Amino acid sequence: MSPKLITVIAGVGAGTGAAVARRFAAKYPVVLLARKPENYQPLVDEINGAGGKAIGFSADVGDAASIKNAFAKIEEEFGNDVAAAAAVFNASGGFVRKPFLELSEQEFISSVNTSIHGGFYFSQASLPLLLRGVSSSEHAPSLIFTGATASVKSNAGVSGFATGKFGLRALSSSLAKEFGPKGVHVAHAIIDGVIDIPRTKEWMKDAGPDAKIGADAIADAYWHLHTQPKSAFTWEIDIRPFVEKW
Amino acid sequence: MSPKLITVIAGVGAGTGAAVARRFAAKYPVVLLARKPENYQPLVDEINGAGGKAIGFSADVGDAASIKNAFAKIEEEFGNDVAAAAAVFNASGGFVRKPFLELSEQEFISSVNTSIHGGFYFSQASLPLLLRGVSSSEHAPSLIFTGATASVKSNAGVSGFATGKFGLRALSSSLAKEFGPKGVHVAHAIIDGVIDIPRTKEWMKDAGPDAKIGADAIADAYWHLHTQPKSAFTWEIDIRPFVEKW
Amino acid sequence: MSPKLITVIAGVGAGTGAAVARRFAAKYPVVLLARKPENYQPLVDEINGAGGKAIGFSADVGDAASIKNAFAKIEEEFGNDVAAAAAVFNASGGFVRKPFLELSEQEFISSVNTSIHGGFYFSQASLPLLLRGVSSSEHAPSLIFTGATASVKSNAGVSGFATGKFGLRALSSSLAKEFGPKGVHVAHAIIDGVIDIPRTKEWMKDAGPDAKIGADAIADAYWHLHTQPKSAFTWEIDIRPFVEKW
Amino acid sequence: MSPKLITVIAGVGAGTGAAVARRFAAKYPVVLLARKPENYQPLVDEINGAGGKAIGFSADVGDAASIKNAFAKIEEEFGNDVAAAAAVFNASGGFVRKPFLELSEQEFISSVNTSIHGGFYFSQASLPLLLRGVSSSEHAPSLIFTGATASVKSNAGVSGFATGKFGLRALSSSLAKEFGPKGVHVAHAIIDGVIDIPRTKEWMKDAGPDAKIGADAIADAYWHLHTQPKSAFTWEIDIRPFVEKW
């Protein structure tokens, strides 16, 4: 019998992660990783209540032991032949905008730690599951990273965030070239704008409707990436509202 | 009554153009432009025979008068309030690989002429139709340009092709920023690999199946771009076979 | 006897071209090409008066015959074994900022014509002279292209200028890869800011001193590029005032 | 009296760091930082013996306390009003080429640690000295980062090295934009090729002379960057041998 195919998502809050979870839950059991249960539990309940299957584990992506522990729990739950159809790295370090000489070491490093160390731990933990899915998954198993404007443009005052995001982009490119030929589709999405979530409700009100990115539209794009056949993999896609200045 | 919404495709042969035409014909009447009737007529017949609506006109994209003439015929056919849901610029100059000092002026310029002059004439002719479609089209009217590896990488021996493709990419970026806020979605696709068509059948046979890009998968990606909502436009996407070295 | 080594500069006005001419005239006879004698003659007189050697020819870089004619005059003047130590393409099409649908064909094409056709004609005419200089020139013969912000960033309203500049950058990259191994150093400079010349005297007065680029500093950078040894060629360099937002 | 102006170089071995130290020692006292005294002491002796002034301190750039300690020693040596004319970050993590799933955490992180944490600690320690030099230095105080091919291209098998180098490039870009307007020139050099040092003597012997980058030529480029006036700062320069495929 084929191994069970799951989707693992790291970094689930009110925006992209939740929308992606709902989208992929239509086909796969989804595993949600977030720092605190209050970030994933309502979504787990919502998906299970709607007839899908979801489970959440607390994990700190920047901590090697925490990620290992979470993937051990995935094997406990789904068996140690569990395979992944998709893994989505959507974690993001706290965004700090500050003069460089006023940045504490902690402020700079925490962003790097989430994006770069986190990206590394998550990739090393999920790629074996994705490789295991190559023979049984209808769509090429996909490892998708969420980037930002700061993945390709590093402005004054945001050195920590941009350093982490540039680094994560490099990681995704190297993995795309190594694991593409093995049948795993690695992609990187540059999300260039503000996501439309409750926390951003009061932002950009003057810009009119659709000036913030709909998280569902990002989820649609990730699903499109996931369903691309082996003959036509996209590595990088950018997504921004129609009014965005760039 | 709303204006009729059509799709116009410039550059229709056996590969990308034809696949895009079939995909968009499921929703819109398609207008096919190619240098010679033998390039579009079989596809016109196929689409019409399958219950769609297609029409073809001979046009040389690098010639201002020829493009104007083709769009005049579109208005004759569909009325002068015709609107476009999509316009796809898929024309490509002849690819010449040669030492630079052996290139004739004609060889260099013809590639530039197709990509850059052609891109300009086609954009000036189709954007008024796309703008007219903004209020009535379900999906944001889309102007999609087909690029290549040479859109971002200019190697020795292919200066003419790369110069044209870099230039076309610049045009698409400028138009994306100008017409996005007006509701027209401008996108650029970097097709990085060999398309799987009869003419390339004997190429890369050792690389195994799926080593050439399926034109249908490109059409799916273009359709995904077309259906993105205003809050989540992609400007650039790359597409390559999983085995591609890049 | 070694062939005479000259420097040829296309596009000589009050700014970069003139400063580069003065700088290179300290070592080489310089040939200045510009559309009209009033653009090069004062500089020719100045250089000759200061003990250098300069000569000017009228040429329209976007016109194949005009460039051929200018290079024929160079051979008449210096002999048909004349070799070049450097060739600098500093011509730039008129900068037009306008809504795309209001651009005339002429406005769009003229920028493309100067940058792309001009870059092609000038390269084909000067590369044989540069190759001839490889064995006798102290510094690797250098073909240097002047780019702009618009060489890498294509904003709304400047499609013609950016299309030409992106294309010229592609040309320079292809030539760098082809002619580097033959000993000719091809480089591309992104000049990102306003040049400090009489015509721009009233611009940016609030930004303080040094907010506009000194043409002499560009000439120093070009000279540095020219004197790089074969083991350490730079293809691309950007130059901007310290206050520039980018 | 003006503060004393020094140059600080982190990462001094047989190649770039040593050549840069020799070049800058012609005008400034140089402080050399390296992990072990055997990496800097011979150079310190050489420079002092040749009439310059050099001093070395052991420091591990990836360790915050170690860098703080080294800069405390600089103040002990030169006074706590010491200013810097230049600071060069030339440290590089160990280059590991390995399948991603065989990489140990230590192998991946050590490269990130040197490039990103190291770049951060060095920048925070040296920028106050550079800012102090703005009013007294003949040339704009310069913070120069040494990058590599992997700063802009992330290939299969080198994820750790590329992640660190992409991140360092982001840091340098953010600092360039923040500190340029304050008079400090921040630059990033992409060294694309093998440096010609004793350790690489047997490499690429078939490629002929000048196929490896001369460290002195890199030092000349860094010196050129350092002497650029405020009106013409270069952020990024690439350097490669004329035969390099890229």
Side-chain angles (χ1 to χ4, degrees):
Chain A
M1 210 188 79
S2 288
K4 196 154 191 85
L5 282 164
I6 64 167
T7 287
V8 188
I9 302 171
V12 178
T16 304
V20 170
R22 288 185 193 101
R23 192 75 168 84
F24 282 66
K27 189 174 172 87
Y28 309 110
V30 294
V31 175
L32 311 182
L33 307 182
R35 228 176 249 263
K36 300 173 193 164
E38 58 260 42
N39 285 334
Y40 59 73
Q41 200 54 50
L43 186 59
V44 165
D45 295 343
E46 178 197 321
I47 290 171
N48 287 325
K53 174 154 178 48
I55 190 169
F57 298 118
S58 298
D60 174 357
V61 295
D63 182 69
S66 175
I67 284 291
K68 267 180 199 150
N69 186 41
F71 277 78
K73 284 181 185 154
I74 292 174
E75 296 204 354
E76 273 174 39
E77 179 73 23
F78 295 96
N80 47 24
D81 65 340
V82 63
V88 177
F89 185 76
N90 187 55
S92 215
F95 180 83
V96 177
R97 188 187 297 274
K98 238 188 204 188
F100 181 71
L101 291 175
E102 295 174 19
L103 269 182
S104 70
E105 180 185 342
Q106 175 52 26
E107 286 169 326
F108 182 86
I109 298 303
S110 79
S111 171
V112 168
N113 205 47
T114 302
S115 288
I116 294 180
H117 294 63
F120 173 73
Y121 300 138
F122 183 77
S123 298
Q124 280 214 329
S126 62
L127 276 162
L129 278 62
L130 292 159
L131 287 167
R132 216 179 283 150
V134 169
S135 58
S136 60
S137 179
E138 178 188 353
H139 306 299
S142 309
L143 173 55
I144 304 177
F145 294 89
T146 300
T149 316
S151 301
V152 289
K153 190 167 183 187
S154 178
N155 286 331
V158 298
S159 60
F161 190 69
T163 298
K165 286 293 192 183
F166 267 62
L168 182 64
R169 184 170 180 257
L171 175 63
S172 83
S173 169
S174 180
L175 296 179
K177 292 172 184 174
E178 179 173 350
F179 290 93
K182 299 181 197 296
V184 175
H185 180 183
V186 181
H188 182 253
I190 297 174
I191 309 299
D192 182 15
V194 172
I195 312 282
D196 190 9
I197 51 174
R199 186 169 58 88
T200 63
K201 202 176 169 201
E202 298 301 311
W203 303 11
M204 301 177 63
K205 290 187 98 165
D206 296 343
D210 298 315
K212 286 176 279 193
I213 307 178
D216 287 346
I218 299 178
D220 283 344
Y222 283 22
W223 184 256
H224 173 68
L225 292 172
H226 175 52
T227 58
Q228 288 182 318
K230 282 166 71 176
S231 83
F233 280 173
T234 289
W235 169 53
E236 190 156 76
I237 192 172
D238 54 78
I239 293 174
R240 63 177 61 78
F242 73 118
V243 293
E244 189 70 20
K245 301 278 173 236
W246 50 295
Chain B
M1 212 188 79
S2 288
K4 196 157 193 83
L5 284 162
I6 64 168
T7 287
V8 188
I9 302 171
V12 178
T16 303
V20 170
R22 287 185 194 101
R23 192 74 167 82
F24 281 66
K27 187 172 172 88
Y28 308 111
V30 294
V31 176
L32 311 181
L33 308 182
R35 226 176 251 264
K36 299 172 194 165
E38 57 260 42
N39 286 333
Y40 60 72
Q41 199 54 50
L43 185 60
V44 165
D45 295 343
E46 178 197 320
I47 290 172
N48 287 325
K53 170 149 181 54
I55 190 169
F57 298 117
S58 299
D60 174 357
V61 295
D63 182 70
S66 176
I67 284 291
K68 266 180 201 153
N69 186 41
F71 276 78
K73 284 182 186 155
I74 291 174
E75 297 203 354
E76 273 174 39
E77 180 72 24
F78 295 95
N80 47 24
D81 64 341
V82 63
V88 178
F89 186 76
N90 186 54
S92 216
F95 181 83
V96 177
R97 188 186 299 274
K98 237 187 202 188
F100 181 72
L101 291 175
E102 294 174 20
L103 269 182
S104 71
E105 180 185 342
Q106 174 51 27
E107 285 169 325
F108 182 86
I109 298 301
S110 80
S111 171
V112 167
N113 204 47
T114 302
S115 288
I116 294 181
H117 294 63
F120 173 74
Y121 300 138
F122 183 77
S123 298
Q124 280 216 328
S126 61
L127 275 162
L129 277 61
L130 292 160
L131 287 168
R132 215 178 285 152
V134 168
S135 57
S136 59
S137 180
E138 177 188 354
H139 305 299
S142 309
L143 174 55
I144 304 177
F145 294 89
T146 301
T149 316
S151 300
V152 289
K153 192 170 182 187
S154 178
N155 286 330
V158 297
S159 59
F161 190 68
T163 297
K165 287 292 192 186
F166 268 61
L168 182 64
R169 185 170 179 257
L171 176 63
S172 83
S173 170
S174 180
L175 296 178
K177 293 171 184 175
E178 180 174 349
F179 291 93
K182 298 180 196 298
V184 174
H185 180 182
V186 180
H188 182 253
I190 297 174
I191 309 299
D192 182 16
V194 172
I195 312 281
D196 190 10
I197 50 174
R199 187 170 57 88
T200 63
K201 202 177 172 201
E202 299 302 310
W203 302 12
M204 301 177 62
K205 291 188 99 165
D206 296 342
D210 299 314
K212 284 176 281 193
I213 306 177
D216 287 345
I218 298 177
D220 283 344
Y222 284 22
W223 184 256
H224 173 69
L225 293 173
H226 174 52
T227 59
Q228 288 182 318
K230 282 166 70 176
S231 83
F233 281 173
T234 289
W235 169 53
E236 190 157 76
I237 193 172
D238 53 79
I239 294 174
R240 62 177 63 77
F242 73 119
V243 294
E244 189 70 19
K245 301 280 176 233
W246 50 297
Chain C
M1 211 187 77
S2 288
K4 195 153 193 85
L5 282 163
I6 63 168
T7 287
V8 187
I9 302 170
V12 178
T16 304
V20 170
R22 287 185 195 101
R23 191 75 169 84
F24 283 66
K27 189 175 172 83
Y28 310 111
V30 293
V31 176
L32 310 182
L33 308 182
R35 226 177 251 266
K36 299 172 193 165
E38 57 261 42
N39 285 334
Y40 60 74
Q41 200 52 51
L43 186 59
V44 165
D45 295 343
E46 177 197 322
I47 290 172
N48 286 326
K53 172 152 180 51
I55 191 169
F57 298 116
S58 298
D60 174 357
V61 295
D63 182 70
S66 177
I67 284 290
K68 267 182 199 149
N69 185 41
F71 276 79
K73 284 182 187 156
I74 291 173
E75 297 204 354
E76 273 174 41
E77 179 72 24
F78 295 95
N80 47 23
D81 64 342
V82 62
V88 178
F89 185 76
N90 186 54
S92 215
F95 181 83
V96 178
R97 187 186 299 273
K98 237 187 205 190
F100 181 71
L101 292 175
E102 295 174 19
L103 270 182
S104 71
E105 180 184 343
Q106 175 51 25
E107 287 169 325
F108 182 86
I109 298 303
S110 78
S111 170
V112 168
N113 205 47
T114 302
S115 289
I116 294 182
H117 293 62
F120 172 74
Y121 299 138
F122 183 76
S123 299
Q124 281 215 330
S126 61
L127 275 162
L129 277 61
L130 292 160
L131 288 168
R132 216 178 285 152
V134 169
S135 57
S136 59
S137 180
E138 177 189 354
H139 306 299
S142 310
L143 173 55
I144 304 177
F145 294 90
T146 300
T149 317
S151 300
V152 288
K153 191 167 183 188
S154 177
N155 286 330
V158 298
S159 59
F161 190 69
T163 298
K165 287 293 191 183
F166 268 60
L168 181 65
R169 184 170 180 257
L171 176 62
S172 82
S173 169
S174 180
L175 296 179
K177 293 171 184 175
E178 180 174 349
F179 290 93
K182 298 180 197 297
V184 175
H185 181 182
V186 181
H188 181 254
I190 297 174
I191 309 300
D192 182 15
V194 172
I195 312 281
D196 190 8
I197 51 174
R199 187 168 58 86
T200 63
K201 202 178 171 201
E202 298 302 311
W203 302 12
M204 300 177 63
K205 291 188 99 166
D206 296 341
D210 298 317
K212 286 176 280 191
I213 307 178
D216 287 345
I218 300 178
D220 283 344
Y222 283 23
W223 184 257
H224 173 69
L225 293 172
H226 175 52
T227 58
Q228 288 182 317
K230 282 167 71 176
S231 84
F233 280 172
T234 289
W235 169 53
E236 190 157 75
I237 193 172
D238 54 80
I239 292 175
R240 64 175 63 77
F242 72 119
V243 293
E244 189 70 18
K245 301 279 175 234
W246 47 295
Chain D
M1 210 187 83
S2 287
K4 197 156 189 83
L5 283 162
I6 63 167
T7 287
V8 188
I9 302 171
V12 178
T16 303
V20 170
R22 286 185 196 101
R23 192 75 169 83
F24 282 66
K27 188 175 173 83
Y28 309 110
V30 294
V31 175
L32 310 182
L33 308 182
R35 226 177 251 264
K36 299 173 193 164
E38 58 259 44
N39 286 334
Y40 61 73
Q41 199 54 52
L43 186 60
V44 165
D45 295 342
E46 177 196 321
I47 290 172
N48 287 325
K53 172 152 180 50
I55 190 169
F57 298 118
S58 298
D60 175 356
V61 295
D63 182 68
S66 176
I67 283 292
K68 267 180 200 152
N69 186 42
F71 276 78
K73 284 182 186 153
I74 291 174
E75 297 203 354
E76 273 174 40
E77 179 73 22
F78 295 96
N80 47 24
D81 64 340
V82 63
V88 178
F89 185 76
N90 187 54
S92 215
F95 181 84
V96 178
R97 188 187 296 275
K98 239 187 202 188
F100 181 72
L101 292 175
E102 294 173 20
L103 270 183
S104 71
E105 182 186 340
Q106 175 51 28
E107 287 169 326
F108 182 86
I109 298 301
S110 79
S111 170
V112 168
N113 205 48
T114 302
S115 289
I116 294 180
H117 292 63
F120 172 74
Y121 300 139
F122 183 77
S123 298
Q124 280 214 331
S126 61
L127 275 162
L129 278 60
L130 292 160
L131 287 168
R132 216 179 283 152
V134 168
S135 57
S136 59
S137 179
E138 179 188 353
H139 306 299
S142 310
L143 173 55
I144 305 178
F145 295 89
T146 300
T149 317
S151 301
V152 289
K153 191 168 182 188
S154 177
N155 285 331
V158 297
S159 59
F161 190 69
T163 297
K165 287 293 192 185
F166 268 60
L168 182 65
R169 183 170 181 259
L171 175 62
S172 83
S173 169
S174 180
L175 295 179
K177 292 172 185 174
E178 181 174 348
F179 290 93
K182 298 180 198 295
V184 175
H185 180 183
V186 181
H188 182 254
I190 297 174
I191 310 298
D192 183 15
V194 172
I195 312 281
D196 191 8
I197 51 175
R199 186 168 61 86
T200 63
K201 201 178 171 199
E202 298 301 311
W203 302 11
M204 301 176 61
K205 291 187 97 163
D206 296 343
D210 299 315
K212 285 176 280 193
I213 306 177
D216 287 345
I218 298 177
D220 283 344
Y222 282 23
W223 185 256
H224 173 69
L225 292 172
H226 175 53
T227 58
Q228 287 181 320
K230 282 165 72 176
S231 84
F233 281 173
T234 289
W235 169 53
E236 190 157 76
I237 192 172
D238 54 79
I239 293 174
R240 62 177 63 78
F242 73 118
V243 293
E244 189 70 18
K245 301 278 177 234
W246 49 296

